């Protein structure tokens, strides 16, 4: 059985973080494992508290898993300090994890920066070069590329620029560009920029979409699929999960992670 490891924070409401990742791995019939980087107190409406795990203990979790179990793929999510990012990067290299998806959680939906400048520098220097795929949103891509990402052409340029930092492939998530009835992202696979378009969904069930997408890419990589195929399959899975959301919570609700990844 193929395995995947999530290295991320915990969401007690179940819609994001390691909870969303493990549900996504299970939906893909991949054995899920988790190394916690932070505890959060959050729901669909707000985050009310964050408690970081000691960096050495984050690394110990990864090493202990790797000492006993194969890690066919991994993904990173919330890494809230320079020390945690460096500890994770060193543990990933030490354990020889090659199929790595980095979701660079750097900018909140509000536009607020989530990482201190020194943490962003360590992300760029130590973690991104280890990534098989990096999945920044438009605001994060702007930070990494150094210019505004306000349209599809800029997203294409940003994907190439971010790849120069080390990732073998870069998916720049925008969604709102292009035709009004379509959501489009830009994927640079190391050679060519591809556009990934899906019908736009009008929904408030968007809690944990970034976590779920990166976990689905990791699951598909663990299953041995090529990068572009893994990303496109993951995008379709998230789209179906949004369309089949359970309608829970009073804010931005969780996805329906139980959907068939290969369904219609």
């Amino acid at each position: 059985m193929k395995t995947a490891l999530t290295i991320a924070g915990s969401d007690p409401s179940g819609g994001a973080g390691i909870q969303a990742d493990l549900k996504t791995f299970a939906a893909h019939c991949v054995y899920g494992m988790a190394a916690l980087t932070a505890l959060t107190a959050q729901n669909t409406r707000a985050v009310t508290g964050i408690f970081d795990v000691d960096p050495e203990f984050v690394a110990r979790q990864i090493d202990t898993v790797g000492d006993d179990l194969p890690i066919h793929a991994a993904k990173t999510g919330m890494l809230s300090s320079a020390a945690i990012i460096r500890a994770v990067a060193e543990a990933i290299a030490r354990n020889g994890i090659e199929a790595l998806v980095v979701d660079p959680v750097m900018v909140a939906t509000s536009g607020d920066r989530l990482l201190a400048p020194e943490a962003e520098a360590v992300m760029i220097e130590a973690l991104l070069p280890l990534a098989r795929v990096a999945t920044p949103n438009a605001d994060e891509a702007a930070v990494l590329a150094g210019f505004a990402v306000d349209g599809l052409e800029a997203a294409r340029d940003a994907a190439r620029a971010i790849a120069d930092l080390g990732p073998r492939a870069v998916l720049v998530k925008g969604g709102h560009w292009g035709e009004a009835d379509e959501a489009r992202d830009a994927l640079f696979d190391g050679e060519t920029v591809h556009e990934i378009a899906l019908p736009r969904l009008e929904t408030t069930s968007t809690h944990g979409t970034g976590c779920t997408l990166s976990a689905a890419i990791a699951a598909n990589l663990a299953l041995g699929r090529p990068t572009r195929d893994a990303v496109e399959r993951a995008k379709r899975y998230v789209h179906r999960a949004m369309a089949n959301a359970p309608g829970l919570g009073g804010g931005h609700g969780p996805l329906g992670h139980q959907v068939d990844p290969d369904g219609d």
Side-chain angles (χ1 to χ4, degrees), residues 147-158:
F147 53 82
V149 180
D150 52 7
L152 190 55
E153 193 58 38
R156 294 166 65 92
D157 293 340

Side-chain angles (χ1 to χ4, degrees), residues 70-136:
I71 304 174
H72 295 117
K75 62 146 288 186
T76 63
M78 177 184 178
L79 308 173
S80 53
S81 72
I84 290 176
I85 295 169
R86 189 170 297 282
V88 167
E90 291 174 352
I92 288 168
R94 191 164 53 243
N95 285 276
I97 301 171
E98 296 185 358
L100 175 68
V101 181
V102 173
D103 182 7
V105 183
M106 304 169 67
V107 183
T109 303
S110 63
D112 295 330
R113 299 282 273 267
L114 300 176
L115 293 179
E118 60 269 23
E120 292 181 353
V122 176
M123 174 81 71
I124 293 169
E125 168 210 340
L127 188 60
L128 281 179
L130 301 177
R132 174 82 62 86
V133 186
T135 63

Side-chain angles (χ1 to χ4, degrees), residues 49-231:
I50 298 174
F51 183 83
D52 286 342
V53 177
D54 178 78
E56 187 278 333
F57 196 77
V58 174
R60 186 181 300 183
Q61 293 174 77
I62 300 168
D63 288 339
T64 303
V65 170
D67 186 54
D68 182 47
L69 300 166
I71 304 174
H72 295 117
K75 62 146 288 186
T76 63
M78 177 184 178
L79 308 173
S80 53
S81 72
I84 290 176
I85 295 169
R86 189 170 297 282
V88 167
E90 291 174 352
I92 288 168
R94 191 164 53 243
N95 285 276
I97 301 171
E98 296 185 358
L100 175 68
V101 181
V102 173
D103 182 7
V105 183
M106 304 169 67
V107 183
T109 303
S110 63
D112 295 330
R113 299 282 273 267
L114 300 176
L115 293 179
E118 60 269 23
E120 292 181 353
V122 176
M123 174 81 71
I124 293 169
E125 168 210 340
L127 188 60
L128 281 179
L130 301 177
R132 174 82 62 86
V133 186
T135 63
N137 61 30
D139 290 331
E140 291 157 350
V143 172
L144 294 171
F147 53 82
V149 180
D150 52 7
L152 190 55
E153 193 58 38
R156 294 166 65 92
D157 293 340
R160 290 183 179 276
I162 296 167
D164 288 340
L165 300 175
R168 281 170 279 176
V170 178
L171 175 69
V172 177
K173 303 173 293 186
H176 56 279
W177 305 310
E179 300 296 330
D181 60 347
E182 287 187 325
R184 291 180 177 268
D185 299 328
L187 170 67
F188 179 58
D189 64 5
E191 296 181 355
T192 306
V193 179
H194 308 276
E195 294 178 16
I196 302 176
L198 289 169
R200 186 181 304 281
L201 293 174
E202 295 299 330
T203 178
T204 58
S205 297
T206 57
H207 185 60
T209 50
C211 305
T212 300
L213 176 63
S214 56
I217 296 172
N220 278 288
L221 292 177
L223 292 168
R225 295 188 171 113
T227 298
R228 181 181 175 186
D229 186 36
V231 172

